[in-house]
Amino acid sequence: TRFILGSVIEKFGPVKTDCMLLSFGAIVVAISAFIQNGPQLIAARFFVSCLGSTFVVNQFWNSIMFNSKIVGTVNGTAGGWGNLGGGLTQVLMPAIYRLFRGFGLSLSMSWRLSMFFPVGLYVVLVNWLWFCTQDTTTGKFNITMLGKTRRAGFTDYIRVCMDYR
């Protein structure tokens, strides 16, 4: 998903793109609670990996929201918070699982119910992004803010891929 995200952001703006990715992620993580075999796990992991694309959106978003004098610090800080989120996930998910096990639920039911914790966070975050944020400091995103007259298209990507640098 990361290689097409530039065009998606240019078409919909960072807020809508982030909301689409997180909504997709909520659906995939919720469905993953019903996995029954290895191939289903592989498919779920594949689609969950699309959530990593939120990093691209956030780096783009920071770049248009903040002054060029501080945007490097802002992007570095945002990336650090993203890494912190990954670390917290490693701590929280087992703790949530143990909480359900402590209620006497089976191993299978406990990990399946644990998957709905991040789903709930995604739903809250999508609503917060949709209703409480904006694309730029002046409002809605417009491609001309990047100094462009048109959005990137498929031929632009082919040209970039053919560049040896």
Side-chain angles (χ1 to χ4, degrees), residues 92-158:
L92 286 177
M93 290 304 287
I96 294 164
Y97 163 79
R98 281 192 289 278
L99 177 71
F100 286 125
R101 287 290 285 165
F103 290 142
L105 297 173
S106 70
L107 181 142
S108 178
M109 184 57 72
S110 295
W111 80 258
R112 291 174 193 282
L113 287 176
S114 297
M115 299 308 289
F116 289 99
F117 179 75
V119 170
L121 291 178
Y122 292 149
V123 169
V124 168
L125 187 56
V126 165
N127 282 291
W128 177 71
L129 286 170
W130 188 264
F131 294 110
C132 301
T133 63
Q134 56 189 36
D135 288 326
T136 68
T137 55
T138 58
K140 191 173 171 149
F141 175 75
N142 187 323
I143 194 72
T144 58
M145 294 174 174
L146 302 176
K148 294 180 167 186
T149 56
R150 66 179 185 85
R151 294 182 180 110
F154 181 72
T155 56
D156 297 310
Y157 285 113
I158 297 298

Side-chain angles (χ1 to χ4, degrees), residues 20-35:
M20 285 188 284
L21 283 170
L22 292 169
S23 296
F24 174 77
I27 293 166
V28 171
V29 173
I31 290 171
S32 72
F34 302 100
I35 289 173

